[in-house]
Amino acid sequence: LANAQDFENEEIRIYPNPASEFLHIDLPARFSKNYQISLWNAQGKEIKKLENQHTFYVENLPSGLYLVKVYVEGKEIWRKITIEK
């Protein structure tokens, strides 16, 4: 089994960035189960949460800077993204 340290060193692909309609998150294949992905606004409020899914629909969110949190095996990885209309 892979551990959280391996996860931190693996590539997490988030696209498109900037996003306007959807945001897709690709994780390494070994982490394809039992993960959570959440979207946070610049004020630190959780906006949306996914479990074992890869796509956020963001068409109803205002333009701005957001954070994506990927949580797997007790480890959090944060990435910045932009939503533009």
Side-chain angles (χ1 to χ4, degrees):
L1 286 175
N3 64 35
Q5 183 66 33
D6 292 335
F7 176 67
E8 187 172 15
N9 295 326
E10 296 261 0
E11 181 70 25
I12 299 171
R13 193 165 158 239
I14 300 175
Y15 61 92
N17 189 12
S20 60
E21 296 179 16
F22 68 91
L23 187 65
H24 189 79
I25 297 96
D26 283 345
L27 300 176
R30 67 170 110 202
F31 298 109
S32 63
K33 294 183 179 180
N34 301 321
Y35 63 87
Q36 294 177 346
I37 301 172
S38 53
L39 184 65
W40 298 69
N41 66 17
Q43 291 74 39
K45 181 180 179 189
E46 186 177 59
I47 305 284
K48 295 185 176 203
K49 187 175 197 176
L50 300 174
E51 290 193 28
N52 301 319
Q53 296 178 15
H54 292 267
T55 303
F56 282 110
Y57 292 94
V58 298
E59 67 275 0
N60 294 325
L61 295 176
S63 296
L65 180 66
Y66 291 80
L67 294 171
V68 173
K69 179 178 84 169
V70 179
Y71 181 81
V72 65
E73 295 185 1
K75 184 76 173 176
E76 295 178 357
I77 305 296
W78 293 84
R79 298 286 188 264
K80 293 180 187 177
I81 61 101
T82 302
I83 294 176
E84 288 183 358
K85 301 298 174 169

